[in-house]
Amino acid sequence: MIQEFEKIKTFYDNLPERIRRIKKNLNRPLTLSEKLLYSHLFDESRLVSFNRGLDYVDFTPDRVAMQDATAQMALLQFMVTGKESVSVPASVHCDHLITARSGADEDLKSAIKANSEVYDFLSSACNKYDIDFWEPGSGIIHQIILENYAFPGGMMIGADSHTPNAGGLGMIAVGVGGADAVDVMTGMSWELKFPGIIGIKLTGKLNGWASAKDVILKISGMLTVKGGTDHIIEYFGDGAESLSCTGKATVCNMGAETGATCSVFGFDNSMAEYLAATGRKKVADLAKKYSEYLTADKAVCSDPGKYYDKYFEIDLSELEPHINGPFTPDRATPVSLMKEEAEKNGWPVDVKTALIGSCTNSSYEDISRAASVVRDALSEKLVARSEFKITPGSEKIRAVAERDGFMDLFSKIGGEVFANACGPCIGQWTRKGSDNKEVNTIIHSFNRNFAKRADGNPNTHAFIASPEIVTAIAISGKLTFNPITDKLINSEGREVRIPEPEGLSLPPKGFGITEGCRKPEPNRKKQEIIIATDSERLQLLEPFKEWEGSDLYNLPLLIKVKGKCTTDHISMAGFWLKYRGHLENISENYMIGAINYFNDQSNSILNQLTGEYDPVPQVARAYRNSGSGSVVAGEENFGEGSSREHAAMEPRFLGVRAVIVKSFARIHETNLKKQGVLTVTFADNNDFYKIKERDRIDILGLNKFSPGSQLIVRLNHDDGTIEEFPVTHSYNETQIKWFKAGSALNIIRNANKLT
Ligand code: SF4
């Protein structure tokens, strides 16, 4: 922490001069997002006014975070580089692999047993490469980051989509794929399309049942699940300052549901108080000293329409609690309208289970307000009519909630505490009866509610609300219960009302000591990486071979894909995710969802060596093992979807040398380039139709491969005829080096061999 504090101090000390230079070059007032983005440029000499939503810019984040599912392949790739330590502070969090079934203690024991080989690998790799390792049970990645690492003005990437949670502490924090995490850990730049900026001015003050969660539930409804795409949402105004730091984190966390790159609040007193309460007063003092650089310029706040790409105002005093869902987080209904909406849409109103907690809503404020609802309900002789579950975001918050009597209150109404992990939020909830696919309703304070996300049952109608509303609904048992106006009948037959919740943003007796982090040991370099040779889930990676220095000849066509080909078609999720640390095993899903142009079938392609139709991975392996490699052809926007790095590693592993398409989804194209697969596009899209099923393909011109050059594809048809056509590419000088070295990581590996 001392070492990290020194880094943070250096960042702050340099900030005034950086901002001065940025202002001089841009010659206008700056939003907070611009201050933070421009002060993290990888190449400070490239300080020009970037076009928002258009220019791709290289940044240098301060920190990397990974959860246990995404960290596996990221660390395996990091090992390939031969580096001894990560280039920026990083942490790994064991939270996603814990199944919620029988309560915290049992579930944690089961998870440690079931995932021991993954945890052993992660902890050994973290120790060796100087990464903080957070044990299973310590908490959920985003809560831990907020409690320990986030700092105002910083920039972080995290291999998880709710990384923006740290925006509650004034950080630009973006969810990325594992490939980006590897780049930054190895000292490479991190590329991002310079985002547009949505300004949201919050005025007034929350009151009654309304909470920070309702701010983002309302905004999700306004922006929809796409409205924030390629934008940062920046909050300001007296209303923003009135929210607690953890409330701000909730808003930023669920901002991911609008598709936003991230969300951010300017530094204020609530952040200073939270930093001090979590043992980081020195950081708080520095942030106070430099606060003018950690907020938007006054000129921006007084004329926001001029400086933001989109601009809204929300009066918190008028904000009504919302319930969002079912099946999508942007279907926002104020509680007062839920009766009408539920009836109109035929939603089941009996709530089977109500769940609070998760990385989104586990703050002291959340738990204390939910507990106050329970306390008042108990004193009014009410009982919970729905099942009630609690998923604390971290051990720190669980322990404090227990110490301050909240857990005791929850258990009095039958609440069950799950492990400090993702559990029901990510389908890791073994819910009794969910296999029966019964139509039912649940309500939770998490962030996503797509079909099957919580319990795997497509007929579970999941709704999202604040912890206090979820708790009130658990007591009423009805989705349509509006605690502001409605009364309940208690166990004595009396009509009673639940009073407005009360809570505190920080624990009066302070937080306890953080537990569960294994810091790297002083002799860490001697650490052996633990991977069992017969492991099905983990496998060491071999560096990919460098380019042979000549044109490519006689490559059989592997598959010509018809129509849409997303990263899901290329590397399916679901069942296969358990192999995400084992490239050979997960490669058995390569392209199994893609449609073969020649027979309209998935996972059935011609093996030119045998004349048989076989699954894609099997044929690719046969070509690779015969020494020839292969070529893939595709149509428009090839590789759209998630930024999953496996979709680029698998073809490389299976010997695919080139992918020729009408157009690429940009991230997938870059990922393929990084892995050393040649990516080219048809100069004339009609040439796609010239490729025949039994073609052998040559790729010519590689000795003159340079930015802007064209290459030639020669098709050797099996009837002896030959056709040639030009293909274009988007490689720059650096990316051509990746291709020649066999992968981007090989460049770093080679450099490390030389030093
Ligand atoms: S609690 Fe849910 S949203 Fe948060 S990190 Fe875990 S799975 Fe993701």
Side-chain angles (χ1 to χ4, degrees):
M1 203 61 196
I2 304 263
Q3 210 182 3
E4 273 198 65
F5 175 73
E6 287 309 317
K7 283 191 178 150
I8 294 170
K9 182 170 183 321
T10 306
F11 169 77
Y12 281 140
D13 289 345
N14 291 332
L15 197 55
E17 174 55 19
R18 279 201 180 132
I19 302 282
R20 190 196 63 73
R21 284 186 56 234
I22 298 163
K23 283 198 172 172
K24 187 167 167 239
N25 282 31
L26 272 57
N27 196 24
R28 59 175 164 77
L30 297 174
T31 63
L32 170 63
S33 306
E34 287 170 314
K35 287 181 184 176
L36 304 193
L37 289 169
Y38 281 100
S39 59
H40 285 88
L41 290 181
F42 188 74
D43 178 358
E44 288 191 40
S45 65
R46 262 202 82 203
L47 211 173
V48 295
S49 182
F50 295 108
N51 294 303
R52 295 180 191 173
L54 286 177
D55 291 342
Y56 284 88
V57 181
D58 286 339
F59 294 101
T60 177
D62 301 301
R63 154 168 290 283
V64 172
M66 293 160 281
Q67 33 96 336
D68 44 6
T70 52
Q72 295 170 49
M73 189 52 83
L75 290 178
L76 287 164
Q77 289 188 82
F78 182 83
M79 288 169 69
V80 171
T81 66
K83 280 180 77 83
E84 290 190 339
S85 317
V86 285
S87 297
V88 298
S91 55
V92 166
H93 305 264
C94 295
D95 54 3
H96 276 59
L97 302 179
I98 301 173
T99 301
R101 188 181 291 116
S102 328
D105 293 346
E106 285 283 302
D107 292 349
L108 194 55
K109 273 188 214 144
S110 309
I112 290 171
K113 199 167 162 208
N115 303 307
S116 64
E117 61 173 324
V118 174
Y119 296 148
D120 287 348
F121 163 66
L122 293 176
S123 70
S124 60
C126 285
N127 189 36
K128 188 169 185 76
Y129 299 120
D130 203 13
I131 299 168
D132 285 356
F133 174 76
W134 288 83
E135 296 169 350
S138 59
I140 306 173
I141 176 168
H142 312 303
Q143 178 85 13
I144 298 268
I145 294 286
L146 197 74
E147 289 171 355
N148 296 278
Y149 301 121
F151 66 94
M155 176 184 273
M156 180 178 88
I157 60 165
D160 189 89
S161 40
H162 293 93
T163 301
N165 190 67
L169 252 177
M171 206 169 190
I172 293 280
V174 182
V176 297
D180 288 12
V182 177
D183 288 352
V184 175
M185 288 194 295
T186 56
M188 290 162 71
S189 61
W190 170 59
E191 190 191 62
L192 177 74
K193 192 198 281 183
F194 201 92
I197 305 168
I198 299 173
I200 300 187
K201 182 174 183 180
L202 302 179
T203 59
K205 206 161 190 271
L206 293 169
N207 58 67
W209 283 86
S211 72
K213 179 75 158 203
D214 299 302
V215 177
I216 191 60
L217 291 175
K218 183 179 173 73
I219 291 170
S220 301
M222 287 161 63
L223 289 177
T224 78
V225 287
K226 286 196 183 136
T229 306
D230 287 338
H231 285 76
I232 292 179
I233 305 177
E234 180 173 318
Y235 294 89
F236 63 100
D238 59 322
E241 287 177 27
S242 75
L243 296 178
S244 66
C245 174
T246 49
K248 293 178 173 81
T250 296
V251 174
C252 294
N253 177 307
M254 208 179 145
E257 271 45 74
T258 68
T261 305
C262 67
S263 306
V264 68
F265 282 80
F267 175 74
D268 62 24
N269 205 37
S270 72
M271 293 186 195
E273 284 172 357
Y274 184 76
L275 283 167
T278 49
R280 292 169 289 170
K281 184 166 182 312
K282 279 179 6 180
V283 177
D285 290 343
L286 276 176
K288 277 186 197 163
K289 180 173 166 191
Y290 294 111
S291 63
E292 71 172 285
Y293 307 105
L294 303 171
T295 46
D297 281 342
K298 286 200 174 68
V300 170
C301 300
S302 52
D303 191 3
K306 189 170 165 190
Y307 297 101
Y308 292 110
D309 299 291
K310 293 179 204 165
Y311 168 63
F312 306 98
E313 271 190 43
I314 295 175
D315 181 355
L316 300 184
S317 322
E318 302 284 313
L319 187 65
E320 189 183 340
H322 280 61
I323 299 176
N324 288 22
F327 305 123
T328 181
D330 59 354
R331 185 165 191 168
T333 306
V335 280
S336 60
L337 298 179
M338 187 43 97
K339 287 188 187 79
E340 201 178 310
E341 279 294 297
E343 193 176 314
K344 197 164 75 193
N345 293 288
W347 296 332
V349 297
D350 288 334
V351 173
K352 296 281 182 214
T353 309
L355 308 97
I356 62 168
S358 88
C359 70
T360 328
N361 274 105
S362 275
S363 65
Y364 192 82
E365 186 173 39
D366 292 328
I367 304 285
S368 61
R369 279 171 69 87
S372 93
V373 172
V374 172
R375 189 184 300 112
D376 291 336
L378 288 170
S379 67
E380 290 290 4
K381 308 234 174 321
L382 289 163
V383 291
R385 299 198 176 141
S386 309
E387 284 179 354
F388 187 55
K389 316 270 183 197
I390 304 101
T391 307
S394 70
E395 178 55 20
K396 189 191 274 290
I397 202 76
R398 190 211 60 76
V400 169
E402 186 170 286
R403 181 198 66 192
D404 292 355
F406 303 147
M407 291 304 188
D408 193 37
L409 280 169
F410 294 146
S411 76
K412 282 189 179 139
I413 58 155
E416 182 185 20
V417 181
F418 284 145
N420 312 319
C422 299
C425 181
I426 188 74
Q428 294 275 39
W429 178 21
T430 311
R431 186 181 176 202
K432 268 194 207 128
S434 66
D435 288 352
N436 302 334
K437 308 269 184 288
E438 216 178 283
V439 175
N440 76 104
T441 285
I442 64 171
I443 187 162
H444 58 62
S445 68
F446 309 161
N447 44 33
R448 289 197 171 151
N449 59 345
F450 299 115
K452 300 200 229 171
R453 178 161 170 111
D455 62 357
N457 175 2
N459 299 318
T460 292
H461 291 53
F463 292 84
I464 309 173
S466 67
E468 45 271 55
I469 290 290
V470 170
T471 307
I473 285 180
I475 290 160
S476 75
K478 296 282 179 201
L479 178 69
T480 47
F481 176 64
N482 178 358
I484 302 166
T485 54
D486 296 352
K487 290 181 180 162
L488 295 167
I489 306 291
N490 72 3
S491 58
E492 295 170 345
R494 267 189 305 119
E495 268 196 345
V496 292
R497 188 169 267 162
I498 305 177
E500 288 173 356
E502 287 177 352
L504 291 168
S505 56
L506 293 168
K509 294 187 212 153
F511 283 111
I513 304 290
T514 297
E515 284 177 1
C517 178
R518 266 186 244 164
K519 289 274 179 196
E521 294 162 1
N523 63 348
R524 65 180 176 80
K525 288 183 186 164
K526 291 191 182 138
Q527 170 78 53
E528 293 285 324
I529 301 290
I530 304 171
I531 298 183
T533 45
D534 59 349
S535 172
E536 284 196 341
R537 293 175 69 178
L538 294 158
Q539 181 188 45
L540 286 173
L541 294 174
E542 288 292 325
F544 294 129
K545 280 197 188 130
E546 64 182 35
W547 173 54
E548 55 271 62
S550 61
D551 287 338
L552 307 179
Y553 293 102
N554 206 29
L555 305 171
L557 173 73
L558 179 66
I559 180 171
K560 175 162 144 174
V561 181
K562 186 174 188 179
K564 213 174 186 44
C565 188
T566 67
T567 43
D568 261 334
H569 293 98
I570 300 170
S571 176
M572 262 182 200
F575 161 83
W576 294 95
L577 291 182
K578 71 176 174 188
Y579 296 129
R580 62 167 84 221
H582 197 296
L583 185 54
E584 187 170 353
N585 284 351
I586 201 168
S587 292
E588 290 304 302
N589 76 356
Y590 180 55
M591 282 284 186
I592 61 177
I595 300 298
N596 178 2
Y597 183 87
F598 300 105
N599 63 6
D600 283 336
Q601 289 183 29
S602 60
N603 207 20
S604 171
I605 57 167
L606 176 71
N607 180 341
Q608 294 186 28
L609 302 175
T610 62
E612 304 287 326
Y613 280 80
D614 288 319
V616 184
Q618 185 178 323
V619 180
R621 232 180 310 117
Y623 292 152
R624 180 195 63 189
N625 295 347
S626 74
S628 68
S630 56
V631 171
V632 167
E635 302 202 56
E636 302 283 3
N637 210 16
F638 188 90
E640 67 182 288
S642 83
S643 62
R644 200 171 301 161
E645 73 260 44
H646 296 88
M649 297 182 78
E650 291 175 26
R652 184 68 165 109
F653 178 75
L654 289 171
V656 173
R657 301 300 306 275
V659 178
I660 314 170
V661 296
K662 293 180 183 174
S663 65
F664 280 104
R666 193 172 178 285
I667 294 175
H668 183 59
E669 182 182 23
T670 307
N671 284 348
L672 284 169
K673 287 176 180 173
K674 280 182 186 162
Q675 300 301 340
V677 179
L678 184 66
T679 58
V680 290
T681 44
F682 298 100
D684 177 353
N685 280 346
N686 290 318
D687 291 334
F688 172 78
Y689 304 99
K690 292 179 180 163
I691 298 176
K692 296 186 179 163
E693 195 172 21
R694 292 169 192 276
D695 279 351
R696 291 273 168 164
I697 299 170
D698 305 332
I699 298 179
L700 312 173
L702 287 170
N703 278 313
K704 291 187 182 151
F705 192 17
S706 58
S709 69
Q710 283 197 335
L711 300 174
I712 300 294
V713 168
R714 183 159 64 204
L715 305 176
N716 302 288
H717 300 310
D718 75 329
D719 61 2
T721 59
I722 289 175
E723 285 184 274
E724 281 189 358
F725 52 80
V727 286
T728 57
H729 68 81
S730 61
Y731 282 79
N732 58 30
E733 292 283 5
T734 305
Q735 293 169 337
I736 289 172
K737 284 186 192 149
W738 298 346
F739 170 74
K740 291 185 175 171
S743 75
L745 294 184
N746 281 355
I747 302 258
I748 299 165
R749 179 185 173 82
N750 294 341
N752 283 329
K753 272 198 263 174
L754 294 176
T755 53

